Amino acid sequence: MTKKLTVPYLPALDGASLSDASALMELHATRESIDVLNWRAAFPYKPVVVFDVARGAADLYIHYFVRGLSLRATADRDGIFVHQDSCVEFFMRRDGEMNYINFEFNCIGTCYARRQTSRKDGVLLAAEEFRSIRRYTSVQCEAFDEKRGLYAWELTLAIPFRVMGLDPGNLPEKIFGNFYKCADGTEHPHYVTWNPIDLPAPDYHCPKFFGEIYLR
């Protein structure tokens, strides 16, 4: 099964703060859930995860809402692994290619992103590219060890199309991608996806299982 979604163009996003963008997206973006437990037997826990997605002229906007057990954010600078923390992810590839980019963010907005030819082979984004990805989080911005209990948090992102390898003046009809939630290093590790992944063990680096994302 391949899921499809349409990313609407919202001109009001251009020039808006990310906090204002979140409110605009609440009303006008496409909303989807990250709710597929591909590996239920080994990892049965499923937090509530919803994302809104829309675009401006130059950026893809994603707003994540998460409610679940435990909160962790030990990665405090871009370019280091964040998947052990409370983490949301967006992987994408261009139509006709199998190379892809993984954008991964912990709950305080720290980003790990690489241009990948495979799970093992890839190149980190340049420092200026990391800086160009705008982020707004409902969580404190300092790193912290795992907090036990039930938490709700939100993260809004604006990822430039140029960082994704796309020309904002000539966007393609569609790209391919998947949206994920994980938290490998917490008391309740989980691996939840938007589009299903038909593999025996957790692996997000599998572009053949990306869904279709149409850019309006």
Side-chain angles (χ1 to χ4, degrees):
M1 172 184 172
T2 299
K3 289 185 177 179
K4 302 177 182 180
L5 66 78
T6 298
V7 178
Y9 174 42
L10 303 182
L13 291 173
D14 295 321
S17 68
L18 285 189
S19 58
D20 290 340
S22 301
L24 289 167
M25 293 171 72
E26 177 74 18
L27 293 172
H28 303 295
T30 294
R31 175 164 292 177
E32 295 279 336
S33 294
I34 300 175
D35 59 4
V36 180
L37 281 178
N38 304 280
W39 307 283
R40 183 185 299 270
F43 300 99
Y45 179 62
K46 182 171 72 172
V48 174
V49 190
V50 175
F51 68 93
D52 299 326
V53 61
R55 74 170 184 92
D59 303 279
L60 181 74
Y61 289 77
I62 309 172
H63 171 249
Y64 292 93
F65 171 83
V66 181
R67 190 190 72 202
L69 295 171
S70 294
L71 195 65
R72 184 182 192 264
T74 59
D76 61 358
R77 66 185 186 278
D78 289 346
I80 62 175
F81 290 126
V82 296
H83 62 275
Q84 298 285 337
D85 291 341
S86 301
C87 179
V88 289
E89 304 181 358
F90 168 59
F91 285 33
M92 61 79 57
R93 67 173 176 86
R94 294 181 293 188
D95 194 5
E97 298 183 1
M98 289 307 287
N99 294 346
Y100 61 97
I101 307 177
N102 55 308
F103 297 97
E104 308 175 15
F105 302 86
N106 69 9
C107 59
I108 62 173
T110 304
C111 178
Y112 177 81
R114 297 207 313 173
R115 295 184 173 90
Q116 306 278 163
T117 54
S118 69
R119 166 182 275 280
K120 295 183 179 180
D121 298 314
V123 178
L124 277 174
L125 297 190
E128 60 271 19
E129 292 178 308
F130 277 115
R131 288 193 294 268
S132 73
I133 301 172
R134 293 182 289 139
R135 310 149 215 186
Y136 176 78
T137 176
S138 64
V139 181
Q140 68 186 61
C141 292
E142 297 82 14
F144 55 87
D145 291 326
E146 182 175 1
K147 300 177 181 180
R148 305 287 175 84
L150 182 64
Y151 291 89
W153 54 278
E154 300 178 48
L155 179 67
T156 305
L157 310 168
I159 304 174
F161 285 121
R162 292 199 183 279
V163 174
M164 298 165 60
L166 303 175
D167 178 0
N170 186 29
L171 290 173
E173 176 189 10
K174 69 177 178 180
I175 58 176
F176 293 83
N178 211 342
F179 300 83
Y180 308 126
K181 173 73 183 74
C182 63
D184 299 29
T186 66
E187 182 182 22
H188 302 278
H190 50 271
Y191 301 91
V192 193
T193 71
W194 168 64
N195 200 62
I197 297 174
D198 186 16
L199 292 173
D203 185 359
Y204 289 171
H205 292 259
C206 43
K208 70 178 182 179
F209 294 114
F210 287 180
E212 298 179 10
I213 300 172
Y214 290 83
L215 303 175
R216 184 179 297 171

PDB file of all heavy atoms in Angstrom, residues 21-57:
ATOM      1  N   ALA A  21       2.728  30.479  11.652  1.00  0.00           N
ATOM      2  CA  ALA A  21       2.568  29.439  10.633  1.00  0.00           C
ATOM      3  C   ALA A  21       1.834  28.237  11.200  1.00  0.00           C
ATOM      4  O   ALA A  21       0.999  27.630  10.514  1.00  0.00           O
ATOM      5  CB  ALA A  21       3.927  29.029  10.086  1.00  0.00           C
ATOM      6  N   SER A  22       2.116  27.888  12.446  1.00  0.00           N
ATOM      7  CA  SER A  22       1.437  26.750  13.063  1.00  0.00           C
ATOM      8  C   SER A  22      -0.069  26.967  13.099  1.00  0.00           C
ATOM      9  O   SER A  22      -0.849  26.045  12.826  1.00  0.00           O
ATOM     10  CB  SER A  22       1.977  26.529  14.480  1.00  0.00           C
ATOM     11  OG  SER A  22       3.353  26.300  14.469  1.00  0.00           O
ATOM     12  N   ALA A  23      -0.494  28.194  13.436  1.00  0.00           N
ATOM     13  CA  ALA A  23      -1.918  28.497  13.491  1.00  0.00           C
ATOM     14  C   ALA A  23      -2.543  28.463  12.103  1.00  0.00           C
ATOM     15  O   ALA A  23      -3.663  27.958  11.921  1.00  0.00           O
ATOM     16  CB  ALA A  23      -2.133  29.863  14.149  1.00  0.00           C
ATOM     17  N   LEU A  24      -1.840  28.986  11.100  1.00  0.00           N
ATOM     18  CA  LEU A  24      -2.343  28.939   9.724  1.00  0.00           C
ATOM     19  C   LEU A  24      -2.512  27.499   9.256  1.00  0.00           C
ATOM     20  O   LEU A  24      -3.512  27.146   8.607  1.00  0.00           O
ATOM     21  CB  LEU A  24      -1.380  29.675   8.791  1.00  0.00           C
ATOM     22  CG  LEU A  24      -1.324  31.199   8.905  1.00  0.00           C
ATOM     23  CD1 LEU A  24      -0.116  31.731   8.155  1.00  0.00           C
ATOM     24  CD2 LEU A  24      -2.604  31.813   8.345  1.00  0.00           C
ATOM     25  N   MET A  25      -1.546  26.667   9.601  1.00  0.00           N
ATOM     26  CA  MET A  25      -1.593  25.283   9.162  1.00  0.00           C
ATOM     27  C   MET A  25      -2.700  24.509   9.864  1.00  0.00           C
ATOM     28  O   MET A  25      -3.278  23.574   9.293  1.00  0.00           O
ATOM     29  CB  MET A  25      -0.240  24.630   9.384  1.00  0.00           C
ATOM     30  CG  MET A  25       0.844  25.219   8.488  1.00  0.00           C
ATOM     31  SD  MET A  25       2.497  24.646   8.897  1.00  0.00           S
ATOM     32  CE  MET A  25       2.420  22.955   8.326  1.00  0.00           C
ATOM     33  N   GLU A  26      -3.019  24.890  11.090  1.00  0.00           N
ATOM     34  CA  GLU A  26      -4.119  24.248  11.809  1.00  0.00           C
ATOM     35  C   GLU A  26      -5.413  24.348  11.018  1.00  0.00           C
ATOM     36  O   GLU A  26      -6.244  23.435  11.023  1.00  0.00           O
ATOM     37  CB  GLU A  26      -4.270  24.908  13.183  1.00  0.00           C
ATOM     38  CG  GLU A  26      -5.427  24.404  14.017  1.00  0.00           C
ATOM     39  CD  GLU A  26      -5.193  23.030  14.612  1.00  0.00           C
ATOM     40  OE1 GLU A  26      -4.030  22.590  14.685  1.00  0.00           O
ATOM     41  OE2 GLU A  26      -6.188  22.395  15.011  1.00  0.00           O
ATOM     42  N   LEU A  27      -5.576  25.447  10.294  1.00  0.00           N
ATOM     43  CA  LEU A  27      -6.812  25.684   9.552  1.00  0.00           C
ATOM     44  C   LEU A  27      -6.758  25.188   8.106  1.00  0.00           C
ATOM     45  O   LEU A  27      -7.767  24.751   7.566  1.00  0.00           O
ATOM     46  CB  LEU A  27      -7.130  27.188   9.545  1.00  0.00           C
ATOM     47  CG  LEU A  27      -7.497  27.805  10.887  1.00  0.00           C
ATOM     48  CD1 LEU A  27      -7.578  29.325  10.761  1.00  0.00           C
ATOM     49  CD2 LEU A  27      -8.828  27.257  11.391  1.00  0.00           C
ATOM     50  N   HIS A  28      -5.576  25.259   7.474  1.00  0.00           N
ATOM     51  CA  HIS A  28      -5.550  25.110   6.018  1.00  0.00           C
ATOM     52  C   HIS A  28      -4.605  24.039   5.478  1.00  0.00           C
ATOM     53  O   HIS A  28      -4.624  23.764   4.276  1.00  0.00           O
ATOM     54  CB  HIS A  28      -5.159  26.451   5.381  1.00  0.00           C
ATOM     55  CG  HIS A  28      -6.055  27.587   5.759  1.00  0.00           C
ATOM     56  ND1 HIS A  28      -7.388  27.634   5.407  1.00  0.00           N
ATOM     57  CD2 HIS A  28      -5.808  28.708   6.479  1.00  0.00           C
ATOM     58  CE1 HIS A  28      -7.933  28.747   5.867  1.00  0.00           C
ATOM     59  NE2 HIS A  28      -7.000  29.418   6.533  1.00  0.00           N
ATOM     60  N   ALA A  29      -3.780  23.426   6.316  1.00  0.00           N
ATOM     61  CA  ALA A  29      -2.816  22.438   5.819  1.00  0.00           C
ATOM     62  C   ALA A  29      -3.460  21.069   5.671  1.00  0.00           C
ATOM     63  O   ALA A  29      -4.582  20.819   6.130  1.00  0.00           O
ATOM     64  CB  ALA A  29      -1.622  22.364   6.772  1.00  0.00           C
ATOM     65  N   THR A  30      -2.738  20.172   5.028  1.00  0.00           N
ATOM     66  CA  THR A  30      -3.127  18.762   4.993  1.00  0.00           C
ATOM     67  C   THR A  30      -2.701  18.106   6.302  1.00  0.00           C
ATOM     68  O   THR A  30      -1.563  18.267   6.736  1.00  0.00           O
ATOM     69  CB  THR A  30      -2.448  18.052   3.816  1.00  0.00           C
ATOM     70  OG1 THR A  30      -2.958  18.595   2.591  1.00  0.00           O
ATOM     71  CG2 THR A  30      -2.716  16.544   3.850  1.00  0.00           C
ATOM     72  N   ARG A  31      -3.613  17.360   6.919  1.00  0.00           N
ATOM     73  CA  ARG A  31      -3.317  16.693   8.191  1.00  0.00           C
ATOM     74  C   ARG A  31      -3.314  15.181   7.998  1.00  0.00           C
ATOM     75  O   ARG A  31      -4.219  14.614   7.393  1.00  0.00           O
ATOM     76  CB  ARG A  31      -4.327  17.089   9.257  1.00  0.00           C
ATOM     77  CG  ARG A  31      -4.159  16.328  10.577  1.00  0.00           C
ATOM     78  CD  ARG A  31      -4.903  16.995  11.708  1.00  0.00           C
ATOM     79  NE  ARG A  31      -4.293  18.292  12.034  1.00  0.00           N
ATOM     80  CZ  ARG A  31      -4.786  19.125  12.952  1.00  0.00           C
ATOM     81  NH1 ARG A  31      -5.884  18.814  13.600  1.00  0.00           N
ATOM     82  NH2 ARG A  31      -4.163  20.261  13.199  1.00  0.00           N
ATOM     83  N   GLU A  32      -2.276  14.552   8.523  1.00  0.00           N
ATOM     84  CA  GLU A  32      -2.126  13.103   8.455  1.00  0.00           C
ATOM     85  C   GLU A  32      -1.642  12.587   9.806  1.00  0.00           C
ATOM     86  O   GLU A  32      -1.087  13.350  10.617  1.00  0.00           O
ATOM     87  CB  GLU A  32      -1.105  12.714   7.376  1.00  0.00           C
ATOM     88  CG  GLU A  32      -1.509  13.065   5.958  1.00  0.00           C
ATOM     89  CD  GLU A  32      -2.451  12.050   5.342  1.00  0.00           C
ATOM     90  OE1 GLU A  32      -2.438  10.883   5.793  1.00  0.00           O
ATOM     91  OE2 GLU A  32      -3.174  12.414   4.391  1.00  0.00           O
ATOM     92  N   SER A  33      -1.815  11.298  10.027  1.00  0.00           N
ATOM     93  CA  SER A  33      -1.345  10.660  11.251  1.00  0.00           C
ATOM     94  C   SER A  33      -0.161   9.748  10.970  1.00  0.00           C
ATOM     95  O   SER A  33      -0.086   9.108   9.917  1.00  0.00           O
ATOM     96  CB  SER A  33      -2.463   9.829  11.892  1.00  0.00           C
ATOM     97  OG  SER A  33      -3.516  10.654  12.336  1.00  0.00           O
ATOM     98  N   ILE A  34       0.768   9.702  11.910  1.00  0.00           N
ATOM     99  CA  ILE A  34       1.850   8.711  11.887  1.00  0.00           C
ATOM    100  C   ILE A  34       1.415   7.617  12.848  1.00  0.00           C
ATOM    101  O   ILE A  34       1.549   7.749  14.068  1.00  0.00           O
ATOM    102  CB  ILE A  34       3.188   9.355  12.315  1.00  0.00           C
ATOM    103  CG1 ILE A  34       3.555  10.490  11.352  1.00  0.00           C
ATOM    104  CG2 ILE A  34       4.294   8.306  12.350  1.00  0.00           C
ATOM    105  CD1 ILE A  34       4.793  11.263  11.763  1.00  0.00           C
ATOM    106  N   ASP A  35       0.861   6.534  12.310  1.00  0.00           N
ATOM    107  CA  ASP A  35       0.166   5.570  13.170  1.00  0.00           C
ATOM    108  C   ASP A  35       0.330   4.115  12.751  1.00  0.00           C
ATOM    109  O   ASP A  35      -0.396   3.240  13.218  1.00  0.00           O
ATOM    110  CB  ASP A  35      -1.319   5.916  13.239  1.00  0.00           C
ATOM    111  CG  ASP A  35      -2.012   5.924  11.878  1.00  0.00           C
ATOM    112  OD1 ASP A  35      -1.360   5.584  10.862  1.00  0.00           O
ATOM    113  OD2 ASP A  35      -3.207   6.262  11.824  1.00  0.00           O
ATOM    114  N   VAL A  36       1.306   3.840  11.879  1.00  0.00           N
ATOM    115  CA  VAL A  36       1.503   2.465  11.414  1.00  0.00           C
ATOM    116  C   VAL A  36       2.568   1.788  12.274  1.00  0.00           C
ATOM    117  O   VAL A  36       3.723   2.228  12.317  1.00  0.00           O
ATOM    118  CB  VAL A  36       1.912   2.424   9.934  1.00  0.00           C
ATOM    119  CG1 VAL A  36       2.113   0.979   9.488  1.00  0.00           C
ATOM    120  CG2 VAL A  36       0.862   3.110   9.066  1.00  0.00           C
ATOM    121  N   LEU A  37       2.169   0.718  12.959  1.00  0.00           N
ATOM    122  CA  LEU A  37       3.098  -0.096  13.745  1.00  0.00           C
ATOM    123  C   LEU A  37       3.540  -1.286  12.891  1.00  0.00           C
ATOM    124  O   LEU A  37       2.924  -2.347  12.902  1.00  0.00           O
ATOM    125  CB  LEU A  37       2.434  -0.594  15.033  1.00  0.00           C
ATOM    126  CG  LEU A  37       2.323   0.400  16.194  1.00  0.00           C
ATOM    127  CD1 LEU A  37       1.591  -0.259  17.358  1.00  0.00           C
ATOM    128  CD2 LEU A  37       3.684   0.889  16.646  1.00  0.00           C
ATOM    129  N   ASN A  38       4.617  -1.090  12.148  1.00  0.00           N
ATOM    130  CA  ASN A  38       5.095  -2.165  11.267  1.00  0.00           C
ATOM    131  C   ASN A  38       5.713  -3.320  12.043  1.00  0.00           C
ATOM    132  O   ASN A  38       5.775  -4.436  11.539  1.00  0.00           O
ATOM    133  CB  ASN A  38       6.142  -1.597  10.303  1.00  0.00           C
ATOM    134  CG  ASN A  38       5.621  -0.424   9.495  1.00  0.00           C
ATOM    135  OD1 ASN A  38       4.917  -0.599   8.514  1.00  0.00           O
ATOM    136  ND2 ASN A  38       5.983   0.786   9.913  1.00  0.00           N
ATOM    137  N   TRP A  39       6.200  -3.060  13.257  1.00  0.00           N
ATOM    138  CA  TRP A  39       6.920  -4.062  14.042  1.00  0.00           C
ATOM    139  C   TRP A  39       6.263  -4.191  15.422  1.00  0.00           C
ATOM    140  O   TRP A  39       6.911  -4.063  16.461  1.00  0.00           O
ATOM    141  CB  TRP A  39       8.385  -3.671  14.136  1.00  0.00           C
ATOM    142  CG  TRP A  39       8.950  -3.418  12.755  1.00  0.00           C
ATOM    143  CD1 TRP A  39       9.309  -4.368  11.842  1.00  0.00           C
ATOM    144  CD2 TRP A  39       9.175  -2.158  12.118  1.00  0.00           C
ATOM    145  NE1 TRP A  39       9.751  -3.784  10.679  1.00  0.00           N
ATOM    146  CE2 TRP A  39       9.681  -2.423  10.815  1.00  0.00           C
ATOM    147  CE3 TRP A  39       9.005  -0.825  12.517  1.00  0.00           C
ATOM    148  CZ2 TRP A  39      10.014  -1.406   9.920  1.00  0.00           C
ATOM    149  CZ3 TRP A  39       9.328   0.189  11.625  1.00  0.00           C
ATOM    150  CH2 TRP A  39       9.825  -0.106  10.346  1.00  0.00           C
ATOM    151  N   ARG A  40       4.965  -4.437  15.385  1.00  0.00           N
ATOM    152  CA  ARG A  40       4.139  -4.428  16.593  1.00  0.00           C
ATOM    153  C   ARG A  40       4.607  -5.438  17.650  1.00  0.00           C
ATOM    154  O   ARG A  40       4.565  -5.162  18.850  1.00  0.00           O
ATOM    155  CB  ARG A  40       2.683  -4.720  16.210  1.00  0.00           C
ATOM    156  CG  ARG A  40       1.697  -4.663  17.373  1.00  0.00           C
ATOM    157  CD  ARG A  40       0.319  -5.076  16.915  1.00  0.00           C
ATOM    158  NE  ARG A  40      -0.194  -4.203  15.882  1.00  0.00           N
ATOM    159  CZ  ARG A  40      -0.908  -3.099  16.137  1.00  0.00           C
ATOM    160  NH1 ARG A  40      -1.172  -2.761  17.390  1.00  0.00           N
ATOM    161  NH2 ARG A  40      -1.357  -2.349  15.143  1.00  0.00           N
ATOM    162  N   ALA A  41       5.038  -6.616  17.223  1.00  0.00           N
ATOM    163  CA  ALA A  41       5.409  -7.653  18.190  1.00  0.00           C
ATOM    164  C   ALA A  41       6.596  -7.229  19.052  1.00  0.00           C
ATOM    165  O   ALA A  41       6.601  -7.420  20.271  1.00  0.00           O
ATOM    166  CB  ALA A  41       5.721  -8.964  17.464  1.00  0.00           C
ATOM    167  N   ALA A  42       7.595  -6.641  18.440  1.00  0.00           N
ATOM    168  CA  ALA A  42       8.792  -6.239  19.176  1.00  0.00           C
ATOM    169  C   ALA A  42       8.663  -4.855  19.801  1.00  0.00           C
ATOM    170  O   ALA A  42       9.239  -4.592  20.865  1.00  0.00           O
ATOM    171  CB  ALA A  42      10.004  -6.271  18.251  1.00  0.00           C
ATOM    172  N   PHE A  43       7.890  -3.976  19.148  1.00  0.00           N
ATOM    173  CA  PHE A  43       7.767  -2.588  19.612  1.00  0.00           C
ATOM    174  C   PHE A  43       6.292  -2.187  19.566  1.00  0.00           C
ATOM    175  O   PHE A  43       5.838  -1.542  18.617  1.00  0.00           O
ATOM    176  CB  PHE A  43       8.616  -1.657  18.731  1.00  0.00           C
ATOM    177  CG  PHE A  43      10.076  -1.988  18.743  1.00  0.00           C
ATOM    178  CD1 PHE A  43      10.642  -2.731  17.718  1.00  0.00           C
ATOM    179  CD2 PHE A  43      10.888  -1.590  19.801  1.00  0.00           C
ATOM    180  CE1 PHE A  43      11.996  -3.049  17.727  1.00  0.00           C
ATOM    181  CE2 PHE A  43      12.237  -1.905  19.815  1.00  0.00           C
ATOM    182  CZ  PHE A  43      12.794  -2.640  18.782  1.00  0.00           C
ATOM    183  N   PRO A  44       5.517  -2.565  20.584  1.00  0.00           N
ATOM    184  CA  PRO A  44       4.067  -2.362  20.540  1.00  0.00           C
ATOM    185  C   PRO A  44       3.602  -0.968  20.918  1.00  0.00           C
ATOM    186  O   PRO A  44       2.434  -0.624  20.669  1.00  0.00           O
ATOM    187  CB  PRO A  44       3.554  -3.381  21.559  1.00  0.00           C
ATOM    188  CG  PRO A  44       4.670  -3.494  22.557  1.00  0.00           C
ATOM    189  CD  PRO A  44       5.933  -3.370  21.757  1.00  0.00           C
ATOM    190  N   TYR A  45       4.492  -0.157  21.511  1.00  0.00           N
ATOM    191  CA  TYR A  45       4.022   1.149  21.993  1.00  0.00           C
ATOM    192  C   TYR A  45       3.804   2.114  20.831  1.00  0.00           C
ATOM    193  O   TYR A  45       4.660   2.238  19.940  1.00  0.00           O
ATOM    194  CB  TYR A  45       5.011   1.766  22.991  1.00  0.00           C
ATOM    195  CG  TYR A  45       4.545   3.117  23.457  1.00  0.00           C
ATOM    196  CD1 TYR A  45       3.343   3.261  24.148  1.00  0.00           C
ATOM    197  CD2 TYR A  45       5.267   4.265  23.158  1.00  0.00           C
ATOM    198  CE1 TYR A  45       2.885   4.507  24.540  1.00  0.00           C
ATOM    199  CE2 TYR A  45       4.823   5.507  23.549  1.00  0.00           C
ATOM    200  CZ  TYR A  45       3.629   5.623  24.241  1.00  0.00           C
ATOM    201  OH  TYR A  45       3.174   6.862  24.610  1.00  0.00           O
ATOM    202  N   LYS A  46       2.662   2.826  20.854  1.00  0.00           N
ATOM    203  CA  LYS A  46       2.340   3.783  19.792  1.00  0.00           C
ATOM    204  C   LYS A  46       1.872   5.097  20.408  1.00  0.00           C
ATOM    205  O   LYS A  46       0.764   5.187  20.926  1.00  0.00           O
ATOM    206  CB  LYS A  46       1.255   3.230  18.860  1.00  0.00           C
ATOM    207  CG  LYS A  46       0.918   4.182  17.702  1.00  0.00           C
ATOM    208  CD  LYS A  46       0.011   3.534  16.671  1.00  0.00           C
ATOM    209  CE  LYS A  46      -1.397   3.363  17.179  1.00  0.00           C
ATOM    210  NZ  LYS A  46      -2.317   2.906  16.095  1.00  0.00           N
ATOM    211  N   PRO A  47       2.696   6.135  20.392  1.00  0.00           N
ATOM    212  CA  PRO A  47       2.239   7.449  20.830  1.00  0.00           C
ATOM    213  C   PRO A  47       1.263   8.046  19.810  1.00  0.00           C
ATOM    214  O   PRO A  47       1.132   7.550  18.687  1.00  0.00           O
ATOM    215  CB  PRO A  47       3.539   8.261  20.882  1.00  0.00           C
ATOM    216  CG  PRO A  47       4.418   7.606  19.864  1.00  0.00           C
ATOM    217  CD  PRO A  47       4.072   6.140  19.901  1.00  0.00           C
ATOM    218  N   VAL A  48       0.595   9.099  20.208  1.00  0.00           N
ATOM    219  CA  VAL A  48      -0.259   9.852  19.293  1.00  0.00           C
ATOM    220  C   VAL A  48       0.626  10.830  18.521  1.00  0.00           C
ATOM    221  O   VAL A  48       1.309  11.662  19.131  1.00  0.00           O
ATOM    222  CB  VAL A  48      -1.354  10.617  20.054  1.00  0.00           C
ATOM    223  CG1 VAL A  48      -2.143  11.499  19.088  1.00  0.00           C
ATOM    224  CG2 VAL A  48      -2.271   9.653  20.785  1.00  0.00           C
ATOM    225  N   VAL A  49       0.632  10.713  17.201  1.00  0.00           N
ATOM    226  CA  VAL A  49       1.467  11.593  16.381  1.00  0.00           C
ATOM    227  C   VAL A  49       0.661  12.046  15.157  1.00  0.00           C
ATOM    228  O   VAL A  49       0.181  11.224  14.382  1.00  0.00           O
ATOM    229  CB  VAL A  49       2.763  10.908  15.902  1.00  0.00           C
ATOM    230  CG1 VAL A  49       3.694  11.944  15.278  1.00  0.00           C
ATOM    231  CG2 VAL A  49       3.453  10.175  17.033  1.00  0.00           C
ATOM    232  N   VAL A  50       0.540  13.349  15.007  1.00  0.00           N
ATOM    233  CA  VAL A  50      -0.165  13.956  13.878  1.00  0.00           C
ATOM    234  C   VAL A  50       0.762  14.993  13.255  1.00  0.00           C
ATOM    235  O   VAL A  50       1.528  15.657  13.965  1.00  0.00           O
ATOM    236  CB  VAL A  50      -1.477  14.620  14.347  1.00  0.00           C
ATOM    237  CG1 VAL A  50      -2.161  15.361  13.196  1.00  0.00           C
ATOM    238  CG2 VAL A  50      -2.420  13.592  14.946  1.00  0.00           C
ATOM    239  N   PHE A  51       0.717  15.127  11.942  1.00  0.00           N
ATOM    240  CA  PHE A  51       1.467  16.213  11.314  1.00  0.00           C
ATOM    241  C   PHE A  51       0.596  16.943  10.307  1.00  0.00           C
ATOM    242  O   PHE A  51      -0.269  16.360   9.654  1.00  0.00           O
ATOM    243  CB  PHE A  51       2.759  15.705  10.652  1.00  0.00           C
ATOM    244  CG  PHE A  51       2.568  14.823   9.447  1.00  0.00           C
ATOM    245  CD1 PHE A  51       2.544  15.353   8.165  1.00  0.00           C
ATOM    246  CD2 PHE A  51       2.428  13.444   9.586  1.00  0.00           C
ATOM    247  CE1 PHE A  51       2.380  14.535   7.050  1.00  0.00           C
ATOM    248  CE2 PHE A  51       2.278  12.615   8.484  1.00  0.00           C
ATOM    249  CZ  PHE A  51       2.249  13.169   7.214  1.00  0.00           C
ATOM    250  N   ASP A  52       0.824  18.258  10.227  1.00  0.00           N
ATOM    251  CA  ASP A  52       0.240  19.114   9.211  1.00  0.00           C
ATOM    252  C   ASP A  52       1.344  19.485   8.230  1.00  0.00           C
ATOM    253  O   ASP A  52       2.485  19.751   8.634  1.00  0.00           O
ATOM    254  CB  ASP A  52      -0.327  20.398   9.816  1.00  0.00           C
ATOM    255  CG  ASP A  52      -1.426  20.136  10.833  1.00  0.00           C
ATOM    256  OD1 ASP A  52      -2.177  19.166  10.651  1.00  0.00           O
ATOM    257  OD2 ASP A  52      -1.532  20.910  11.807  1.00  0.00           O
ATOM    258  N   VAL A  53       1.014  19.536   6.939  1.00  0.00           N
ATOM    259  CA  VAL A  53       2.025  19.865   5.941  1.00  0.00           C
ATOM    260  C   VAL A  53       1.438  20.831   4.921  1.00  0.00           C
ATOM    261  O   VAL A  53       0.278  20.691   4.496  1.00  0.00           O
ATOM    262  CB  VAL A  53       2.581  18.582   5.270  1.00  0.00           C
ATOM    263  CG1 VAL A  53       1.488  17.800   4.559  1.00  0.00           C
ATOM    264  CG2 VAL A  53       3.732  18.907   4.330  1.00  0.00           C
ATOM    265  N   ALA A  54       2.220  21.845   4.565  1.00  0.00           N
ATOM    266  CA  ALA A  54       1.839  22.837   3.567  1.00  0.00           C
ATOM    267  C   ALA A  54       3.132  23.415   2.996  1.00  0.00           C
ATOM    268  O   ALA A  54       4.233  23.062   3.432  1.00  0.00           O
ATOM    269  CB  ALA A  54       0.968  23.932   4.180  1.00  0.00           C
ATOM    270  N   ARG A  55       2.997  24.311   2.047  1.00  0.00           N
ATOM    271  CA  ARG A  55       4.201  24.924   1.501  1.00  0.00           C
ATOM    272  C   ARG A  55       4.002  26.417   1.297  1.00  0.00           C
ATOM    273  O   ARG A  55       2.881  26.898   1.102  1.00  0.00           O
ATOM    274  CB  ARG A  55       4.610  24.282   0.174  1.00  0.00           C
ATOM    275  CG  ARG A  55       3.747  24.657  -1.029  1.00  0.00           C
ATOM    276  CD  ARG A  55       4.401  24.163  -2.317  1.00  0.00           C
ATOM    277  NE  ARG A  55       3.670  24.564  -3.521  1.00  0.00           N
ATOM    278  CZ  ARG A  55       3.919  25.684  -4.199  1.00  0.00           C
ATOM    279  NH1 ARG A  55       4.841  26.536  -3.781  1.00  0.00           N
ATOM    280  NH2 ARG A  55       3.233  25.973  -5.288  1.00  0.00           N
ATOM    281  N   GLY A  56       5.100  27.153   1.374  1.00  0.00           N
ATOM    282  CA  GLY A  56       5.149  28.522   0.917  1.00  0.00           C
ATOM    283  C   GLY A  56       5.836  28.553  -0.435  1.00  0.00           C
ATOM    284  O   GLY A  56       5.974  27.528  -1.113  1.00  0.00           O
ATOM    285  N   ALA A  57       6.326  29.721  -0.831  1.00  0.00           N
ATOM    286  CA  ALA A  57       6.988  29.830  -2.129  1.00  0.00           C
ATOM    287  C   ALA A  57       8.342  29.142  -2.137  1.00  0.00           C
ATOM    288  O   ALA A  57       8.770  28.617  -3.170  1.00  0.00           O
ATOM    289  CB  ALA A  57       7.140  31.302  -2.501  1.00  0.00           C
TER     290      ALA A  57
END
